[in-house]
Amino acid sequence: MKIVELQIYGYGQLENVKITDLSDFQVFYGENEAGKSTIMAFIHGVLFGFPTKQQTELRYEPKHHHKYGGKIRVFHEDYGFAVIERVKGKAAGDVKVMIENGRLGGEELLKELMENFDKSLFQAIFSFSLHGLQNIHQMKGEEIGRFLFSAGTLGTEKLAKTETILQKELDTRFKPTGKKPILNEKLQELHEINAELKKAAAKNKNYENLAQRKEMLHQEMTVINELLKELHEKVEKLTEWKRIQEIVKEEKWTKKEISELGEIVFPARGIERMEKINQLIRPYNAQISSIENRIEQIKKEINDIQPNHFLLENEPAILSTLDQVPLYEQFKLESQSCETKLLEYEERLSAIKERLHLPINEEDILLINTNIYMKAQVERVSRKHQKLEEAKEDLEARFLEEKNQLQEIEKDIRLAEDVCLPKQKRSYLLEQINQGNDKKSVELELKVLKDKIEFYQRANERGKAEKERAVKQKRLQFLIFELIFFSLSLYGLLSSQIALLVLGILGCVIITFILIKSFRIPTDKTFDQPLADLIEKEKALIQIIQSAEFRDLTHIEEQLKQDNHRLEQLQKLKMKLEQQQSQYEKVITKFEEWEVEAAQNMEKLLSISSELKIPEYIATTFLLEAFLLIEQYKTVLREKKQIHTRQEQIKQSQGAILDSVNEYANRYLTDKGLDLHKSAYLLRNKLKEEHENRIKCKERLAKLAELESELQIKKQEVERFHQESTKLLNEAKLESEQKFYEVGEKAEKKEKLLERFETVRSQLHYSLLSEQERESYLHVHNGDELLNEYNHQEQDLHAKLKKHHEELASIKYEIQILEEGGLYSDILHHYKQKKFELEEEAKNWSVYCLAQDILVSTIEKYKNIHLPRMLSKAEEYLAFLTNGSYQKIHLQKSGTGFLVERKDHTLFEANELSQATTEQLYVAIRLALATTLYEKYQFPIIIDDSFVNFDAGRTEKVIKLLKQLNRNQIFFFTCHRHLLHHFKKENILSLEKGAVQITS
């Protein structure tokens, strides 16, 4: 899919922006806040929906106008051109898709176009920015490998994050050396309770003995297991020795043979090179002898062939004369054709005279002016005459049409005036409307008044209820104060404190006075007076309705309404009448203009016919036809004179050709008195023979030079071979070829032994046995007996271990019986409860552990099935980006991560690479993921300033790599001007605060 056009109605700071003709590699350049991120977000928003208000992503809603959204025009390989438009609407916006075949749709059709990609998957595969590289900067060494592996599988760091989250969940539940994790705490509690359980069990001696025996059995079983493990290792090593025994012996023998041969100085592939030189020298000697014989033969042939140079010097003149011989016959045929044409011209002139029927001769016709200007005047006057006739017919038709329409409108006006009300009756009806009373308005006013009365009554009731509650609350407070003062006076009386007694009595009197006064509730007149006024007004309106005589004015209003409509129709008809009268007058004016124009054209027509000597009765109807016939007559006369002139020229040319051929024939041919064609044929044959002799002579001379040059080269080659042979002997420090071959056989034998020695060493490299162990096993001759002995010992130990297992089960059963009573049983219950809790937490831990195992198995499956193809393409990209410094990418044998192989075959983990090389590895993996595993989805690749940390060389490399990805359209957003020289000027769009322009 390719994006060809963007149209932004409103998105962030961009308003009414249209970007057309987007190229396959489109660069968006602009400084910060110029709108690059806005355009990227707009593309994602239109294709996958605007971010909702609950999401953390920016919505880019315009601040200064209501337009929000836009449309994208794309070209899809299967659907053709399509327009995707998304505007403000529901949460993600309202989308509409229009395909060029006429199909319309919404989100479902958009999903078909996007092949069910969602936003997160699209951004993970086809859209990456500086964020991915910044993640690498912030990571520790062991995290970089996992991040690159995640980027190569999902396009993002989600896989690495998921793996980290699972590991954190496992660590919060259990750590082998931790104390705070839940399982560690539960184990500690269980250990403490187990200690208490052991203390309770100490009260039972039998229990203690059983426990000791149980522990002893455990120790013995551990020892047996260790012995079994040692025996198993011995069996494995002995079995391995039996497998490699012959290989080790071959290694010793090969090493001995190599040492016996000693040091040999001999050139690489010496025998092969010497034999090749001897094989090459023999054919060269034979070729040299053959070439010398051919040189002698060619020299003899050159002496026998010599061309006539005098004839060849005059060849151009002779050929020029001979080329004119065919013209002689053509001239003859042309002369006959001229005679025929003269007869035709006579017939045509006679026919034209009959059609013109003018009383003038040929000389007078030739004097008539028929130039271009006169022809243009004739055509113009004739066309004008025809147009005037056509205009007259149109004007007459329009006159009748406008006149009929005018009469129809006048008739409609008279009918409209008849149906309108007379002025006196209309005035009378209007007066009744103005003087009458409307019952509906009075009833409406009464209804509003009742609503107000009801509102005041409810408000009055609410106010009284609130005052009663407030009074009751105050009375309660005063009663409390009354009780307090009474208690104070009673205390003063009992304690003989006069002051307290007086104070208490005085307080009681004041509170009693206030209480008596509070029982008098004042009347609230806030709502009483307006309510009374409204009730009085209601009574007055009811009396008016009961006493007044109302008239129903509905019928009168309907009459006036209909009359108003008729008056409007009448007014429109009068305006239409004025317009029609104007059209009628225009038609009459057009008639007058036509008569003036027709008279002027007729005057001009008569003037031209007089000049052309054409009678008036012909000119008025057939002026142009007559002019064309005169013009044709003059043309035929001129052509007839040209034919006469051509006949004289043909006779002169025929004589010149015949004289020239006879002259050359008499000079160079032995036969005399031949005709024209025979002489020309013999002259051509003579020239051909001399040319063949000259060509043969040149060919022989060229061949002679070629053979001499080849002879010299062959001799030089033979000399060079002799020098190479001598060089090989010098390198081997030998004097004869026989000794050279003898030493060469020894060198080949040593080389084969060295190759076999390396092969044997590589086979032994993967053996379980070390070199010291292999040396020790060389002295072992009874391997099969030792192996049988080890197997017997292993069987005995397994039998002993089985007996211990049976005894241990019996002891556990006896301990279980002893654990059924007293305090020991309570502690044991608590122990089992804690053990159950531990098991439950262990189950939760196992869930995360299982999830981690599933993730690891999924990763392994992906590594074995899908990842190799992607890694192959990533290796190609990485080698290109690093100029071949890093050539291979290997998977880690376990877990996630990569090993990168340098050209010297050194392996590096991701965290061992330099920062820039790690970023190049990330770019190679991301691009390989998009072009291999997702190659059938040809969506645009969107890159946002991902290479700002690269130096100039690395930046140039990565941009060249992007230009090679011709299957996907690429959008490259940058704010760095120094990158623009890498791209074509027509592919760069400059952004300046919402404005878009092509950089020049």
Side-chain angles (χ1 to χ4, degrees), residues 398-411:
R398 284 185 61 190
F399 176 78
L400 292 175
E401 183 180 354
E402 298 296 339
K403 183 178 180 181
N404 293 333
Q405 289 183 2
L406 185 63
Q407 292 174 353
E408 289 178 0
I409 294 171
E410 290 175 347
K411 182 179 178 181

Side-chain angles (χ1 to χ4, degrees), residues 206-207 210 807-819:
N206 189 23
Y207 181 87
L210 290 171
E807 187 179 354
L808 182 62
S810 177
I811 290 171
K812 286 182 178 179
Y813 176 72
E814 292 180 11
I815 290 173
Q816 184 178 359
I817 293 173
L818 292 172
E819 289 174 349

Side-chain angles (χ1 to χ4, degrees), residues 937-952:
Y937 306 105
Q938 297 179 20
F939 294 124
I941 296 177
I942 301 175
I943 303 172
D944 182 17
D945 255 354
S946 297
F947 317 122
V948 294
N949 295 325
F950 287 1
D951 56 26

